[in-house]
Amino acid sequence: MDCDKCDGSGFIFDEEARKAYPCECRPARLARKRAAAVAGRIPKAYRGVSFEREPLPSLERSHPHVVRAVRRYCDTITERTQAGRGMWFTGPPGTGKTTLAMLISKRAMEADRTVAIYSLPRLLAMLRETFRDDATHSLSQLIDMLCSVDLLHIDDVGAEQTSPWVLEQLYTVVNTRYEEQRSIIVTTNLIDIAAEQPDQELREQIGDRTVSRLYEMCGDPLPMFGADRRLEAQFNLPEPVPTSTTPDPFDDSQWDERPSGYGRSR
Ligand SMILES: Nc1ncnc2c1ncn2[C@@H]1O[C@H](COP(=O)(O)OP(=O)(O)O)[C@@H](O)[C@H]1O
Ligand SMILES: [Mg+2]
């Protein structure tokens, strides 16, 4: 991000007085840097997602309304993320939820928005791990980082091990993002659209307050249905994501071995 005034250093040098002053771009520069610390990459299995490639044409035939909504979101991604609008996808495993969410995250990165992608188990593990003696970041630093990215993509909200403490931290992240109008993308298999109270399981799992915020930020969840397509696409299985064994919460190595350059401070 080059700046006309400071040439990208964040400081303006007064040669005569031999002094440096912070440039007006510096706060934004620092926020980007904080965000970059958690900014994720698209997992390898989803790197090639695009509207033009399978499974998108198939998904468009089976879920025209959902894919149309995703297209609209992607076409206006800058405005939507600036307004803190999100999206969430629900349905059984293997129906294309993560694929659609990754498509949005990829578009957001292409539009130069900072994006962090975590599975919920990994996000919760990161929060817990801030209490380890060898933790690289404090809890407040981590929460600050998770709140500074333009888009937080939480994948696979399911039946994970939780505790009241961890749910409180999750609420803090979601609520802070809500208050600062920053977008969230979520996928979950915990909403059963056929049930009398479709979101009951989700509310029990991550708490009423967090679920209410998600409705406010993302509207109604987009329902995916059908058979588990993963069984048919075994050649394309995503890498399993470790849940609680990662010592460094900022180590993205299970997502990818090569940095993509996205989400880095420049
Ligand atoms: N409608 C579909 N047609 C063909 N393949 C699909 C379809 N939906 C998903 N897939 C494939 O199934 C696998 C799982 O999709 P994914 O988006 O990870 O599902 P979910 O997140 O709902 O569990 C991927 O390899 C994806 O390409
Ligand atoms: Mg998924």
Side-chain angles (χ1 to χ4, degrees):
M1 195 173 37
D2 282 339
C3 167
D4 293 342
K5 295 198 172 121
C6 69
D7 290 330
S9 71
F11 287 97
I12 296 171
F13 295 95
D14 182 340
E15 308 261 333
E16 264 172 37
R18 293 172 160 268
K19 276 191 174 153
Y21 303 95
C23 179
E24 62 192 46
C25 74
R26 191 165 142 80
R29 200 170 284 283
L30 287 178
R32 268 191 97 79
K33 207 167 174 184
R34 278 203 305 276
V38 286
R41 309 180 234 304
I42 304 284
K44 217 198 256 154
Y46 298 93
R47 183 118 359 110
V49 293
S50 114
F51 284 108
E52 284 71 46
R53 278 183 59 179
E54 284 296 348
L56 258 293
S58 302
L59 285 171
E60 191 150 32
R61 282 191 294 278
S62 55
H63 301 75
H65 293 91
V66 174
V67 175
R68 203 173 304 140
V70 172
R71 239 183 232 283
R72 272 200 305 271
Y73 192 98
C74 287
D75 287 346
T76 51
I77 197 126
T78 303
E79 294 86 331
R80 301 252 186 152
T81 47
Q82 269 165 2
R85 299 306 306 162
M87 225 176 213
W88 52 337
F89 302 92
T90 178
T95 50
K97 302 181 297 296
T98 298
T99 303
L100 294 174
M102 289 295 173
L103 188 55
I104 293 176
S105 287
K106 189 176 164 187
R107 278 296 163 100
M109 290 173 177
E110 285 164 0
D112 234 5
R113 314 299 290 166
T114 48
V115 182
I117 306 172
Y118 293 104
S119 68
L120 186 62
R122 177 137 188 264
L123 191 69
L124 301 185
M126 281 166 57
L127 291 166
R128 281 188 209 103
E129 281 165 11
T130 56
F131 279 99
R132 288 164 57 129
D133 287 341
D134 57 351
T136 38
H137 294 84
S138 69
L139 177 64
S140 64
Q141 279 173 327
L142 174 61
I143 289 186
D144 193 33
M145 291 174 197
L146 290 170
C147 295
S148 18
V149 282
D150 296 315
L151 181 71
L152 179 61
H153 169 169
I154 307 180
D155 209 76
D156 234 355
V157 175
E160 37 271 326
Q161 206 196 341
T162 53
S163 71
W165 180 84
V166 128
L167 290 185
E168 191 58 35
Q169 308 317 316
L170 178 66
Y171 176 71
T172 302
V173 171
V174 172
N175 189 50
T176 305
R177 294 189 65 84
Y178 169 78
E179 286 174 352
E180 295 184 0
Q181 296 203 317
R182 291 190 189 273
S183 306
I184 291 192
I185 301 288
V186 168
T187 72
T188 180
N189 56 13
L190 289 186
I191 293 183
D192 178 0
I193 47 172
E196 197 174 317
Q197 204 195 330
D199 57 13
Q200 187 182 355
E201 217 183 334
L202 183 67
R203 288 179 183 275
E204 283 166 12
Q205 183 65 33
I206 62 169
D208 274 328
R209 292 184 306 163
T210 303
V211 174
S212 305
R213 283 291 181 245
L214 290 177
Y215 276 108
E216 284 173 90
M217 301 163 87
C218 306
D220 283 335
L222 297 169
M224 304 298 291
F225 44 81
D228 187 345
R229 305 306 291 258
R230 190 169 283 133
L231 303 174
E232 297 164 29
Q234 280 182 358
F235 54 89
N236 196 18
L237 267 184
E239 243 67 84
V241 178
T243 52
S244 61
T245 50
T246 324
D248 174 3
F250 300 98
D251 174 13
D252 273 318
S253 56
Q254 74 263 42
W255 289 117
D256 188 7
E257 70 286 330
R258 275 176 304 128
S260 69
Y262 282 130
R264 311 220 134 198
S265 59
R266 281 165 294 161

